[in-house]
Amino acid sequence: TECRLLVDVNNFYVNEQNLGRDAAAALQQLPAAAIAEIHLGGFETRDGYLLDAHNSAVAEPVWGLYQMLLKRIGPRATLLEWDSDIPLLEQLLSQRQRAAELLSGQVQPRPAQRLSTGHAG
C-alpha cells in the first residue's frame, strides 16, 4: 500500500515483554523506508504485566531500542508521549534532550536492563 508507519517503540517493548518475545527482533522486521515517525513513552507495571500508559519517563530498555532503530533507519521525526502524571518541565526537557542526542548520534547506549514483569517468559 506504500503506507508510511508510525512506530511506538515503547509499545513494541511492552507488547513483546508481555508476550515473552524479543522487541529488538520485532523492530528489525519493519521496513526501514516505511518508517516516517517514532513515538517514545513510559509504561507501568500492573498485575504482573507492562502497560503502555505514557505516564512516566522512557525506560532504559526503550531508549536502547530507540537507539538501535535509529542506527538501522537513520533519524526520523520523534515524539515523546506523556499523557498523565505530567512531571516538572525540567524532566520533560531532559527526556527531550536525550532523544535529541540519540537522534544526532552523540550518546552511547547505557547498559540494557531487563525489567521484571512478574511472570515467566
Side-chain angles (χ1 to χ4, degrees), residues 33-91:
I35 299 172
E37 187 172 334
I38 300 170
H39 285 193
L40 299 169
F43 60 83
E44 65 181 61
T45 302
R46 188 180 297 170
D47 297 327
Y49 291 93
L50 302 182
L51 176 65
D52 187 20
H54 300 159
N55 63 354
S56 60
V58 177
E60 287 304 319
V62 176
W63 284 120
L65 289 171
Y66 177 59
Q67 186 170 33
M68 178 211 69
L69 184 61
L70 290 176
K71 281 185 174 183
R72 185 170 74 87
I73 70 171
R76 295 293 194 278
T78 300
L79 175 74
L80 285 164
E81 297 180 83
W82 204 312
D83 299 336
S84 62
D85 301 329
I86 308 297
L88 295 174
L89 179 60
E90 291 78 20
Q91 186 173 1

Side-chain angles (χ1 to χ4, degrees), residues 8 42 60 93 104:
D8 186 327
E60 287 304 319
L93 292 176
S104 68

